[in-house]
Structures are given as C-alpha cells and as structure tokens.
Amino acid sequence: MTAGKLYLCATPIGNLEDMPVRSVRIMKEADVIAAEDTRNSIKLLNHFEIKTPMTSYHEYNKVDKAAVLVDKMLAGQTVALITDAGTPGISDPGEELVRQAAAAGIEIISVPGPAACINALIISGLPTRRFVFEAFLPADKKERQAVLEELERETRTMIIYEAPHRLLRTLTELESRLGGSRRAAVCKELTKKHETVYRATLSNAVRYYTDNEPRGEYVLVIEGLDRQEIVRQKQEKWQEMSVEEHLALYVEQGIDRKDAIKLVAKDRGVPKREIYNMTL
C-alpha cells in the first residue's frame, strides 16, 4: 500500500483574498484536514466551499493526535494541515506533526502562502538579508531572561510575536536590554483593515504604547547590533588596562613578543607600529 502525503497548507493571516489557490485545491482533494481550531477554520472552509472532513489538532493534543494522523497517512490517506492563520509549523503545533511524519518516512509538501513574520520583515524598513525569528518570548522568567540575554548580542534583524496585553512589557524589556536607540517596527493587524506599522526607536515605541493602549496582534521587528559597535565595545574594554599590561597578558601565555604586539594592536584597533613605539 502506498502511503499518503502530508500537505502544509498556508491560509490567510487576515485578508481572505490572500488564500493560495493551490491550498484550496489541496484541501478539497485531501482525505482529512487537520486544523488548529475547527470552529475558526470552518468559516474559511465554508467561504471557499471546501467540504473535506476536519479533525482537531492543537497544542494540547499534538503528540497523540500526530500519531493518529501519521497512522492514517501510512494507511494511504492524505492529510492537509492548516493553522489558525498563516503557515503551519511556524510558532504552532504543526512542528510536531511534521517531525513524526518525517520520522515515519511520509512525504511532506509545503503549499506556500502568507506568514506574518515575513510580511512584517519586508515592510519594516530594516535589513532583511539576515534575520532571526523568535516567535513569542518564553513565559518562564528564567528562560525569558536567557533569551533576552542572547538577543543583546544578536547582529541579525529580530522578529518577535506579541499579544496586545503583553506588548508594553516586552517593549520595555527590549529597551532595557538592547538600548533605547535601537530601531524597531511595530506591526499591527497585518493584511487586515486596521493594519499599521509604527517605525521608531525602542524608547519612542515604549512612550507611544504607554499613551496608546495596544489593540490587535503584533509583530515586532528590531534591528540587530551593529558589528562595528561590537568591535568598538571590545576595543573599549581593552582600554581598561595599560598597553604594557595588555602586552604582558599575551607574553605570559608564551606568545612571542613580536606576535604579541600584533595581537595587542588588533585588539585595540591601532597600527602595530604605534604599539611597538609605546613599548620601547
């Protein structure tokens, strides 16, 4: 018996006109649609006249239900996975089903379409070549602080999801960790009627949302740490000791004096001749 397939079908994040034509066809042809919230997804299916049976697949049943769905696919059925909005597997329980399906050797096919993180990135006005997606920051205090500490050193553009009632807290934490001058784009209700993008520094964003109550779902896009700033910070750190102490640090490690001078010059961002003259 030939195994069925798993299709990851993207759906609109707000505007129904963004529904991929291919997703509609796959969902109509599938044996079953696995939906994160069947009550929400039935509206989408009715709009596009999709009659395929649905089954609930969400955060609280994802492990056991994934095993059931994998068995169905191994028996030859085709499953279309959809999330509440956007692309399945991005910050939702679809990741578990994909993992189990891949382990079972089932063919997995992505049907591309809307993704809030990418939409926010490309309209943010911030660098798009290198970026990191953090989804929602952890609720656990210790884990959250560990992630924020990592973001302090992040040089890539950062993308974070946030709910309205937690937005100000998160912006305040980011301001404290990353610095108030860090540029950001606060994207609200993407593709929907009240879509807005507030581009500002983190300090200005904190002030704005202190005075204006957040409403809707948000995606934060924050610029990464400038690599030149990292170099500058490292160079400033070496200024805390004298050139002689700096040189001695390397010499004591058994490094030849000539090579040690080169290393000191590199650390401090100055010509090696300058270090040589200072240590005569």
Side-chain angles (χ1 to χ4, degrees):
M1 179 182 293
T2 303
K5 300 176 182 179
L6 174 60
Y7 285 92
L8 310 178
C9 296
T11 56
I13 59 176
N15 193 322
L16 288 178
E17 292 181 1
D18 295 333
M19 181 69 171
V21 174
R22 188 179 170 208
S23 279
V24 174
R25 177 179 64 80
I26 295 298
M27 290 165 67
K28 287 182 176 180
E29 294 176 352
D31 294 295
V32 63
I33 296 172
E36 187 174 5
D37 186 339
T38 55
R39 294 170 300 178
N40 179 63
S41 296
I42 192 63
K43 302 171 187 177
L44 181 73
L45 269 61
N46 288 340
H47 182 83
F48 290 100
E49 299 180 346
I50 299 170
K51 307 298 183 183
T52 306
M54 267 197 302
T55 188
S56 178
Y57 176 80
H58 50 71
E59 182 65 28
Y60 302 104
N61 72 352
K62 63 182 182 182
V63 176
D64 293 339
K65 194 56 172 287
V68 172
L69 293 170
V70 166
D71 285 342
K72 287 181 180 294
M73 288 182 279
L74 290 174
Q77 291 191 27
T78 292
V79 175
L81 175 66
I82 61 174
T83 184
D84 274 352
T87 300
I90 301 295
S91 189
D92 82 358
E95 179 183 0
E96 175 64 23
L97 178 55
V98 172
R99 185 189 68 78
Q100 290 195 31
I106 292 168
E107 184 177 359
I108 304 167
I109 301 164
S110 171
V111 184
C117 53
I118 298 300
N119 281 31
L121 174 66
I122 62 177
I123 65 174
S124 68
L126 296 172
T128 61
R129 188 178 71 84
R130 300 172 63 249
F131 60 92
V132 57
F133 176 57
E134 281 293 335
F136 290 92
L137 293 178
D140 178 79
K141 185 176 181 180
K142 186 175 181 180
E143 186 181 358
R144 187 182 183 91
Q145 293 307 311
V147 171
L148 288 169
E149 187 176 333
E150 291 175 1
L151 294 182
E152 288 183 45
R153 303 185 297 273
E154 182 57 68
T155 59
R156 295 167 292 182
T157 300
M158 296 161 275
I159 307 171
I160 297 172
Y161 286 167
E162 195 49 277
H165 62 282
R166 293 191 300 262
L167 179 67
L168 185 56
R169 173 198 172 189
T170 296
L171 285 172
T172 302
E173 287 178 317
L174 290 170
E175 177 193 25
S176 174
R177 289 283 190 163
L178 309 182
S181 62
R182 191 74 66 90
R183 293 185 300 157
V186 183
C187 305
K188 166 187 170 182
E189 297 288 271
L190 291 170
T191 80
K192 299 176 184 177
K193 182 179 179 180
H194 299 292
E195 174 181 311
T196 59
V197 181
Y198 180 72
R199 301 179 181 88
T201 63
L202 285 174
S203 287
N204 287 340
V206 168
R207 284 195 290 269
Y208 179 83
Y209 288 103
T210 298
D211 297 333
N212 298 273
E213 182 183 358
R215 297 176 183 274
E217 297 301 318
Y218 290 86
V219 183
L220 311 180
V221 186
I222 308 123
E223 73 173 337
L225 183 63
D226 189 339
R227 285 179 171 175
Q228 292 182 345
E229 176 65 15
I230 295 175
V231 172
R232 186 187 66 78
Q233 290 178 359
K234 287 182 178 179
Q235 291 174 350
E236 285 185 351
K237 182 180 178 181
W238 288 114
Q239 300 301 324
E240 296 173 4
M241 66 171 63
S242 68
V243 172
E244 291 77 12
E245 291 172 329
H246 195 166
L247 184 63
L249 188 68
Y250 286 121
V251 172
E252 288 170 2
Q253 297 175 32
I255 298 174
D256 177 79
R257 183 178 176 83
K258 183 178 179 181
D259 291 333
I261 288 175
K262 291 179 181 178
L263 290 172
V264 171
K266 182 179 179 181
D267 289 341
R268 292 174 175 262
V270 298
K272 61 181 180 181
R273 171 61 63 179
E274 182 177 326
I275 301 299
Y276 176 78
N277 290 336
M278 293 176 67
T279 56
L280 285 176

